[in-house]
Structure formats: structure tokens, C-alpha cells
Amino acid sequence: EADRLHTMMLAMTDVQVVLIKLADRLHNMRTLGALPREKRMRLAKETLEVFVPLAGRLGIWSWKAEMEDLCFKYLDYENHRKLSRKLAEGFREKIILSSIQTLYRALLAKGVEYLDLCGRPKTLHSIHRKMVR
């Protein structure tokens, strides 16, 4: 069924319809906690197999990342909880800002020109995937 849905979504020529479907699924994932466990698991698995890759192909990285993390939360709650505890959000932001400052000083010292210097925290799902590999 996931393959059928994926094919159907890619075959749609109206991008607005695809975007609405993605936005609807993201909203549904945000409110998944209110549903019975069995339905949460089914929707999370379907989202990870169909909607996350679709968001990635369309370049909507923020939706992709949020859906991945929500799927991770519902499909593997225990690992999600452990990892999120270890990686407190404030701590991650401080490391990123510190790394940007270090890189900024190094580039300035070497006379390297650049347009923009920025960073972002990795998502919990992405970190977990790399740990498993």
C-alpha cells in the first residue's frame, strides 16, 4: 500500500494538492497522541515510508525533519526518549553557535571570503539512524 500511495503522490501533476496532502499529514502527526496505539503505529510507519521521502524530494526539509522525528517518537519511543534526554536542545544550540564562531575566526584569519556561515542541529531521527549504522 505504501508503494501505491507513493506512486500516486508522484503521479499527481498539481503540486498544490501534494503540498496540501503533506501539510495535512504533518498536522496529523503532530496530533497523533490522541489516537489508539495501533493506529499511531500504522500512521507513523506510513508517514515514514511515503510522506517523508516525498517531502525530501520536494525539498521541504523542515517538514521532512519534523515528520521523521515524530515517526521516530511513535515507532521507537524508548530510544527517542533516551536520545532526547541526552541531547538537550539548549546544549545543541550552544555547540552549533560555538562551532560557527570558531569557524568564523579561522576563515577570517586565513582571509577566506564567504557569503553566509550558519549551522543547524541534526534531528533525533538522523542521529539515531547514524548510531544504528
Side-chain angles (χ1 to χ4, degrees):
E1 187 178 343
D3 285 338
R4 184 183 61 75
L5 280 170
H6 191 258
T7 304
M8 179 187 74
M9 292 289 199
L10 291 176
M12 290 181 186
T13 54
D14 191 354
V15 177
Q16 290 176 333
V17 173
V18 176
L19 291 175
I20 290 169
K21 281 289 213 190
L22 280 170
D24 183 51
R25 181 51 65 112
L26 178 58
H27 176 265
N28 291 343
M29 290 302 297
R30 288 175 178 164
T31 59
L32 212 55
L35 299 176
R37 184 182 188 285
E38 198 173 289
K39 191 165 186 177
R40 282 194 309 254
M41 299 297 279
R42 183 181 57 78
L43 287 172
K45 188 173 188 239
E46 181 182 272
T47 300
L48 198 56
E49 292 173 354
V50 177
F51 292 92
V52 167
L54 186 58
R57 283 192 180 106
L58 292 174
I60 310 171
W61 307 114
S62 59
W63 288 7
K64 176 187 182 288
E66 187 176 352
M67 282 192 282
E68 275 181 334
D69 277 353
L70 288 167
C71 290
F72 177 39
K73 177 182 175 182
Y74 290 110
L75 293 173
D76 193 356
Y77 178 77
E78 209 42 49
N79 281 323
H80 180 274
R81 187 178 57 80
K82 287 177 190 174
L83 190 56
S84 62
R85 240 192 254 159
K86 288 179 182 177
L87 299 170
E89 198 63 41
F91 175 73
R92 293 165 68 196
E93 293 295 325
K94 288 177 188 172
I95 288 175
I96 293 167
L97 291 175
S98 171
S99 298
I100 289 172
Q101 285 298 320
T102 303
L103 185 56
Y104 169 78
R105 286 191 293 273
L107 291 172
L108 192 62
K110 297 285 184 184
V112 176
E113 293 182 26
Y114 59 91
L115 291 177
D116 189 26
L117 195 57
C118 61
R120 64 169 177 79
K122 292 196 71 58
T123 64
L124 291 177
H125 182 259
S126 174
I127 292 169
H128 178 68
R129 243 188 2 241
K130 286 186 179 191
M131 288 171 61
V132 168
R133 270 190 267 142

